[in-house]
Amino acid sequence: MKKVNLGVLISGGGSNLQSIIDHIESGRLDARIKVVISNAPGAGGLARAERHGLKHLVVNHRDFPSREDFDQRLVDILNENEVELVILAGFMRLFTGVLTGAFPGRIMNIHPALLPAFPGAHVWQTTVDYGVRFSGCTVHFVDQGTDTGPIIIQAVVPVLGDDDADTLAARILKQEHRIYPRAIQLYAEGRLKIEGRRVTVQPLDKSLDPDFLINPPLDN
Ligand code: GAR
């Protein structure tokens, strides 16, 4: 299987980066991380990249006069490193058409909610405060909007009565670590087809249990 070249953009701890690294190293993901870029100096994910011998660098957005200039620098580095698929893994910058235009249909993001619910920032607290019974995480292709692109895969978790933002975030993060490598593998296998807003996985999988999830559970 041909390996897909990844460029991973991070801003923080990089646990999703770690999961992608682990899946690659254990042979479960046909990908190669060509470069890890952080906009935040000192981001924990940089140390993870270092430990695994991956090329990593800081491109500090503060050093650029505009968002477009910052994005252009990212595009240049990604192209120099022959990146085919851009992975946003806890990358906390809004991007411009410079980035999305350079990699149309070739940027993925993970978001800690069931999009299109709860886009943007401060997601976990907003989710708990709203009182929804389920939340989860979404991997989607990136388009011009914030958290609006075609959805590839989602995982659902219950929101429990005594949850706070931290306990909910931890429950969701576990599932993030499972679905992001899966989405990338489906891409690597050439199985994702984007038609308008809909992404289909080829061949279609009929194994999903069609029963509903209910929370709180029914008596019987
Ligand atoms: C993850 O929960 C990810 O879904 C979220 O940031 C966290 C990064 O964790 N991303 C967003 O909120 C993007 N809008 P990590 O650095 O440990 O992978």
Side-chain angles (χ1 to χ4, degrees), residues 187-202:
Y187 183 95
E189 292 174 7
R191 294 175 58 192
L192 298 178
K193 198 161 124 210
I194 312 178
E195 285 167 304
R197 282 213 47 84
R198 296 190 75 182
V199 179
T200 51
V201 178
Q202 306 294 331

Side-chain angles (χ1 to χ4, degrees), residues 12-17 89-92 109-112 120 123-124 147 173 176-177:
S15 71
N16 277 291
L17 167 66
F91 182 64
M92 297 306 186
N109 181 45
I110 190 154
H111 184 76
V123 173
W124 306 283
D147 303 325
L173 195 60
E176 294 186 33
H177 297 161

Side-chain angles (χ1 to χ4, degrees), residues 26-169:
S26 62
R28 287 172 292 165
L29 178 50
D30 296 308
R32 211 185 274 120
I33 297 178
K34 300 286 285 186
V35 64
V36 175
I37 308 172
S38 170
N39 68 302
L46 291 165
R48 296 181 192 269
E50 167 85 27
R51 270 202 295 282
H52 290 268
L54 298 172
K55 181 168 181 182
H56 55 285
L57 42 125
V58 174
V59 181
N60 191 337
H61 57 278
R62 292 173 205 275
D63 295 341
F64 294 83
S66 70
R67 286 187 191 277
E68 284 77 9
D69 289 307
F70 171 64
D71 282 4
Q72 187 58 56
R73 182 76 190 116
L74 297 180
V75 168
D76 291 345
I77 294 170
L78 293 166
N79 281 331
E80 280 159 22
N81 287 280
E82 299 172 325
V83 166
E84 295 164 286
L85 181 65
V86 181
I87 299 297
L88 308 185
F91 182 64
M92 297 306 186
R93 295 296 301 167
L94 294 178
F95 39 79
T96 68
V98 173
L99 186 61
T100 48
F103 293 91
R106 295 196 290 133
I107 309 175
M108 285 185 190
N109 181 45
I110 190 154
H111 184 76
L114 291 176
L115 291 172
F118 306 113
H122 313 294
V123 173
W124 306 283
Q125 191 62 55
T126 317
T127 303
V128 169
D129 290 346
Y130 197 93
V132 292
R133 295 299 185 184
F134 290 103
S135 187
C137 42
T138 304
V139 179
H140 63 93
F141 284 113
V142 169
D143 64 8
Q144 302 285 0
T146 302
D147 303 325
T148 55
I151 291 170
I152 302 164
I153 185 168
Q154 294 184 304
V156 179
V157 304
V159 182
L160 303 180
D162 58 356
D163 267 334
D164 58 25
D166 291 340
T167 56
L168 179 62

